[in-house]
Each structure stands twice: as structure tokens, then as C-alpha cells.
Amino acid sequence: YLDRPEANAEAFAADGFFHTGDVGEYDEVGYLRLVARMKELIISGGYNVYPREVEDALRLHPAVQDAAVVGAPDAEWGEVVTAYCETDGTVTGDELIRFVGEHLAFYKRPKRVTMVDALPRNALGKVVKGELGR
């Protein structure tokens, strides 16, 4: 980070390692799997929720074409899991919350679900999560 000492101090550890912002976990046989980005991590009531995990669970529902999950500020929980879903119109937000509850722990269930015609995407087709909820 050229001419940005504060950015360098934040990005590099004292031992010289670069903090990528990726979150990973090892599986039962020792393979490392990337599961999230730190900036996307939702901390709700002290629990870590990885948006990708919730998005994958939502996409299991046959009425969901795509989903994006973000954290929304909440006075009680700090952040709450909030989902935006492209669907075929045959499912409600409450049904999706119950559906996700069948696949994930209670604290990972979205507290809010908003149906959208289309998720905001950039020129490469990637969902622009910063535009959700505006």
C-alpha cells in the first residue's frame, strides 16, 4: 500500500505476514477450505455467522434462484442476519426462515428476509452487497 503507512500497519503482522481477510477452516482430513471474508462476517449475539453458509442453505430451497446475506445493525444483537432473495414468487420470507432453520443452527437463521426481483450486480455479475438495503 504505497504511501499509506496506516494501511500497511493494518494489513501486515509484525512477523511480515499479510492479512488477506479470508476466513478458513480445516476439515476432518486436514484440508483448508475458505468459508468467508472477515469484512462479510456477521457477529450476532456473540456468534459468528458466515453469509456464504446461509446463502447456500437458502439456495437449497426450490423457489430460490439466488440469495445474498448481510448483517444489519440491531440494538439487541449487534447485527442480525438479513437475507435478500430472488425467488419464483411461491415462497414467503417466513417460510424461508423456517427452511434455513432445518439446515442450520438457530442463530444462523435470517431474522429478516426481503424478496427482490434482482440482486444488485457489478459488470462481472458479482453481487454488490453494499447496495443491499438501500
Side-chain angles (χ1 to χ4, degrees):
Y1 303 132
L2 184 64
D3 299 326
R4 296 179 49 213
E6 66 286 343
N8 278 318
E10 187 177 311
F12 288 91
D15 59 8
F17 278 93
F18 179 67
H19 296 282
T20 64
D22 294 314
V23 177
E25 65 184 15
Y26 289 101
D27 67 14
E28 59 280 346
V29 294
Y31 286 101
L32 178 63
R33 178 173 71 109
L34 296 179
V35 294
R37 302 268 309 144
M38 283 301 294
K39 290 180 180 178
E40 293 181 357
L41 177 68
I42 300 166
I43 301 175
S44 184
Y47 290 102
N48 292 346
V49 180
Y50 301 107
R52 180 175 168 187
E53 185 178 18
V54 181
E55 292 163 356
D56 288 346
L58 285 162
R59 289 184 194 113
L60 291 174
H61 194 286
V64 176
Q65 281 90 40
D66 204 358
V69 172
V70 296
D74 184 80
E76 182 178 357
W77 299 101
E79 289 182 294
V80 292
V81 179
T82 304
Y84 295 84
C85 298
E86 293 177 5
T87 70
D88 64 9
T90 63
V91 66
T92 67
D94 288 339
E95 289 171 330
L96 289 176
I97 291 170
R98 282 192 299 277
F99 180 80
V100 170
E102 296 171 9
H103 298 275
L104 298 175
F106 177 79
Y107 68 90
K108 296 179 182 182
R109 291 187 338 179
K111 298 287 188 266
R112 303 174 191 146
V113 175
T114 300
M115 305 305 186
V116 296
D117 292 330
L119 294 167
R121 297 180 187 277
N122 65 18
L124 298 175
K126 182 175 170 65
V127 174
V128 182
K129 291 187 176 185
E131 293 183 16
L132 294 170
R134 288 186 180 178

